[in-house]
């Protein structure tokens, strides 16, 4: 089956048609955010302060890249383990975040959250930071510079390769592949 | 220690930080090629991407993985080498600092693990291990082993009771890999340390990952244990990226040490497919 091509920011109607396990190539604008950036965003929300990035229909990429060498567009940037963000995602979903790209399993409760909000969890090839960096066409630091590798970047990606890990019905790829021992 | 030698150690450590991160260890790379030949469908596709990832990293001289790790540095010091521990340690730290800065490697350390969690900015301190078992006189062998945390976080120690024996140990190792699932970026390499104390078992498990996966333990009983563990782990069918498949683990290495009459410590150290290591030998005139 040929991979489906979609755009980011995300279209809610298109998201609802994605099905767990499907190959999806993502093009457009995404934002990097991992552990510390999530904590900062939540802190700002709690204080009622404006966020440095939009959330509505946006797609987060859980990555902390290596520094960009001269003459290149971005450093090595593969997905980090997503489970660490499980407890940090509700306030972002409730303000419009509709997708995240990462690696590995998430909590059972997380699938229910995605169903509730009509959001999707995408899996990128784990451990392929050099390969994935080639799909990044432009990058711009937008927030939390002091966090170093955990700062937030706006990335323009072209056909970024993913699989649908959890779809808007809450179906989990690690759960539906029946022979997996840890689902 | 003379200044030229310390400088050479700094230079070598810096170079090894970069070399290790721009590829994966050759034996593991070969094993990954073989694995790609055994898989089909999605698992094969994922392994092919990982192989292409390594090619790109080597060609472009960029890290195979963005997590360039906390840097473990092993110094095997041969007879006849006079060292001053503090100066040698500082030379290594400086090497890590330069290597991570000039190689555009990610600085992934925080100074305080619990409270401020502020990035140290230069990826130091390094974890330095001294070993005096090198059989060659007047030489220092340096091995740099960056430890990424996707896999490191999945490691475990158990203080088994001696009565649990071989069966208990196998169950613990297999369960640890099963529970890690997709998180440590399978196909994994597993280091198992048995014996010593709680602390020693962890050292042994890490040391086990320094041995090529195509070399078995010299003790035939432990070599057999390695083979059995590999088979049992692959029967889990976790597969590449945890999405199912024949190849969950590329190799299991076991190291052991005498222990107390009341104990059977065992540590499991899981490494991702991207086992990064580089070594060089510095000769002393």
């Amino acid at each position: 089956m040929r991979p489906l091509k979609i755009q980011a920011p995300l279209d809610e109607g298109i998201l609802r048609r994605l099905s767990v396990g499907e190959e999806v190539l993502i093009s457009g604008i995404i934002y990097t955010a991992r552990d510390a950036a999530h904590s900062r965003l939540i802190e700002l929300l709690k204080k009622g302060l404006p966020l440095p990035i939009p959330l509505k229909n946006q797609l987060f990429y859980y990555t902390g890249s290596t520094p960009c060498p001269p003459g290149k567009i971005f450093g090595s940037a593969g997905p980090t383990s997503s489970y660490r963000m499980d407890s940090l995602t509700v306030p972002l979903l409730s303000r419009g975040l509709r997708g995240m790209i990462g690696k590995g399993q998430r909590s059972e409760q997380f699938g229910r959250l995605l169903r509730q909000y009509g959001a999707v969890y995408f899996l990128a090839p784990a451990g392929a930071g050099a390969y994935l960096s080639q799909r990044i066409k432009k990058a711009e630091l937008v927030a939390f510079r002091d966090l170093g590798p955990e700062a937030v970047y706006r990335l323009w990606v072209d056909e970024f390769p993913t699989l649908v890990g959890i779809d808007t019905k809450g179906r989990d790829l690690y759960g539906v592949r029946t022979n997996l021992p840890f689902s | 220690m003379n200044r030229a030698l310390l400088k050479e150690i700094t230079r070598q450590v810096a170079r090894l930080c970069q070399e290790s991160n721009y590829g994966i260890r050759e034996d593991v790379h070969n094993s990954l090629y073989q694995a790609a030949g055994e898989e089909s469908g999605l698992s094969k596709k994922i392994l092919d991407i990982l192989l292409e990832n390594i090619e790109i990293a080597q060609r472009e001289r960029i890290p195979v993985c963005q997590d360039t790790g906390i840097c473990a540095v092993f110094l095997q010091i041969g007879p006849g080498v006079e060292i001053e521990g503090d100066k040698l340690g500082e030379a290594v730290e400086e090497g890590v600092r330069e290597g991570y800065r000039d190689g555009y490697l990610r600085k992934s350390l925080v100074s305080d693990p619990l409270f401020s969690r502020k990035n140290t900015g230069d990826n130091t301190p390094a974890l330095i291990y001294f070993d005096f078992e090198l059989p060659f006189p007047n030489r220092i062998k340096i091995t740099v082993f960056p430890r990424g945390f996707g896999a490191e976080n999945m490691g475990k120690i158990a203080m088994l009771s001696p009565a649990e024996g071989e069966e208990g140990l196998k169950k613990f190792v297999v369960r640890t890999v099963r529970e890690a699932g997709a998180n440590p970026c399978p196909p994994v390499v597993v280091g198992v340390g048995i014996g010593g104390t709680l602390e020693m078992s962890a050292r042994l498990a890490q040391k086990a990952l320094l041995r090529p996966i195509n070399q078995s333990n010299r003790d035939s009983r432990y070599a057999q244990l390695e083979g059995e563990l590999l088979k049992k782990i692959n029967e889990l069918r976790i597969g590449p990226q945890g999405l199912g498949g024949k190849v969950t683990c590329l190799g299991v290495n076991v190291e052991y040490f005498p222990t107390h009459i009341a104990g059977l410590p065992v540590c499991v150290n899981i490494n991702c497919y991207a086992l990064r290591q580089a070594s060089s030998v510095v000769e002393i005139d």
Side-chain angles (χ1 to χ4, degrees):
Chain A
M1 214 168 63
R2 292 180 60 176
L4 207 75
K5 295 180 183 181
I6 68 165
Q7 288 290 321
L10 303 160
D11 179 284
E12 296 206 16
I14 289 173
L15 278 188
R16 288 190 186 280
R17 289 201 289 275
L18 297 181
S19 183
V20 68
E22 226 172 337
E23 281 183 57
V24 178
L25 297 171
I26 300 168
S27 298
I29 292 174
I30 64 177
Y31 292 91
T32 71
R34 47 172 291 160
D35 312 56
H38 275 68
S39 301
R40 288 271 179 99
L41 290 172
I42 290 168
E43 220 176 275
L44 291 173
L45 285 172
K46 270 188 193 156
K47 289 181 184 158
L49 294 169
L51 300 185
I53 53 169
L55 289 179
K56 193 169 166 47
N57 295 331
Q58 300 301 325
L59 176 55
F60 276 6
Y61 181 23
Y62 300 146
T63 189
S65 72
T66 58
C68 183
K72 299 225 187 304
I73 292 167
F74 206 56
S76 189
T80 194
S81 297
S82 305
Y83 69 89
R84 295 193 313 271
M85 269 57 78
D86 283 359
S87 61
L88 301 171
T89 308
V90 172
L92 306 173
L93 286 169
S94 69
R95 280 165 181 84
L97 182 72
R98 284 297 171 264
M100 36 243 117
I101 307 170
K103 75 172 168 92
Q105 302 107 295
R106 313 211 62 157
S107 67
E108 219 175 288
Q109 198 197 346
F110 200 80
R112 289 198 289 274
L113 279 175
L114 295 194
R115 193 175 59 203
Q116 184 186 336
Y117 288 101
V120 172
Y121 169 49
F122 298 93
L123 297 167
Y131 175 89
L132 290 170
S133 74
Q134 311 235 317
R135 306 295 175 102
I136 298 167
K137 300 302 166 191
K138 190 178 158 191
E140 192 177 272
L141 179 88
V142 283
F144 314 140
R145 178 188 290 272
D146 62 299
L147 294 180
E150 295 199 65
V152 172
Y153 287 84
R154 183 183 290 126
L155 303 179
W156 283 258
V157 294
D158 184 33
E159 304 206 337
F160 197 87
T162 66
L163 291 169
V164 176
I166 305 176
D167 63 19
T168 54
K169 296 183 182 69
R171 292 180 302 187
D172 187 335
L173 184 56
Y174 288 111
V176 298
R177 290 179 78 90
T178 49
N179 56 359
L180 296 179
F182 49 83
S183 56
Chain B
M1 297 182 81
N2 70 55
R3 201 179 288 174
L5 173 61
L6 290 169
K7 233 178 158 175
E8 178 60 13
I9 288 167
T10 294
R11 200 179 69 85
Q12 290 296 338
V13 169
R15 186 179 68 81
L16 296 173
C17 286
Q18 298 174 15
E19 292 310 317
S20 59
N21 273 298
Y22 300 157
I24 77 170
R25 207 173 65 191
E26 200 181 356
D27 57 305
V28 181
H29 195 176
N30 290 338
S31 169
L32 201 64
Y33 264 115
Q34 270 181 1
E38 289 164 29
E39 291 284 11
S40 58
L42 180 60
S43 324
K44 159 100 175 122
K45 197 167 178 178
I46 292 165
L47 290 178
D48 285 343
I49 288 176
L50 297 183
L51 287 167
E52 195 182 337
N53 182 60
I54 298 164
E55 269 172 46
I56 295 168
Q58 288 172 338
R59 188 180 68 228
E60 304 279 325
R61 292 184 66 75
I62 56 173
V64 277
C65 176
Q66 71 288 344
D67 186 355
T68 52
I70 182 167
C71 202
V73 181
F74 297 83
L75 298 170
Q76 289 172 278
I77 297 165
V81 180
E82 282 182 34
I83 60 162
E84 292 170 70
D86 56 338
K87 285 190 183 147
L88 182 55
E90 185 38 51
V92 170
E93 298 284 1
E94 182 57 25
V96 170
R97 211 170 277 135
E98 289 178 13
Y100 274 68
R101 182 192 64 209
D102 301 341
Y104 297 91
L105 306 179
R106 196 179 80 184
K107 288 74 180 175
S108 309
L109 270 61
V110 290
S111 57
D112 164 14
L114 186 57
F115 296 109
S116 73
R117 292 193 67 87
K118 194 170 158 34
N119 199 301
T120 65
D122 61 5
N123 221 57
T124 68
L127 307 170
I128 306 175
Y129 300 86
F130 294 98
D131 177 4
F132 299 96
E133 283 174 52
L134 192 69
F136 308 105
N138 304 318
R139 283 176 209 183
I140 300 178
K141 184 177 179 191
I142 308 170
T143 302
V144 168
F145 185 11
R147 309 282 308 149
F149 254 56
E152 185 80 31
N153 273 335
M154 297 296 123
K156 277 203 174 90
I157 288 186
M159 301 303 279
L160 299 180
S161 101
E164 291 178 83
E166 191 183 341
E167 282 317 302
L169 183 135
K170 284 182 190 161
K171 270 190 195 153
F172 172 68
V173 174
V174 173
R175 191 177 70 223
T176 301
V177 178
R178 187 182 68 222
E179 287 172 358
N183 287 319
C185 293
V188 295
V189 178
V190 176
V192 181
I194 307 172
T197 54
L198 181 127
E199 182 265 358
M200 186 62 169
S201 69
R203 286 198 174 221
L204 293 167
Q206 183 168 258
K207 188 181 168 196
L209 293 171
L210 295 173
R211 172 159 38 94
I213 54 174
N214 49 14
Q215 265 174 38
S216 301
N217 193 299
R218 268 181 291 187
D219 183 316
S220 62
R221 297 164 305 167
Y222 285 91
Q224 196 183 335
L225 177 65
E226 290 173 342
E228 285 167 14
L229 284 171
L230 177 63
K231 187 165 171 281
K232 277 181 185 292
I233 290 170
N234 279 324
E235 281 166 6
L236 292 173
R237 297 189 62 83
I238 291 170
Q241 198 161 359
L243 293 171
K246 292 189 195 108
V247 188
T248 298
C249 181
L250 301 170
V252 178
N253 284 353
V254 176
E255 292 291 330
Y256 67 95
F257 194 81
T259 190
H260 191 278
I261 47 173
L264 175 55
V266 49
C267 174
V268 181
N269 190 328
I270 302 177
N271 206 100
C272 58
Y273 91 90
L275 196 153
R276 290 155 287 171
Q277 250 170 44
S279 301
S280 74
V281 173
V282 176
E283 305 231 10
I284 288 129
D285 314 320

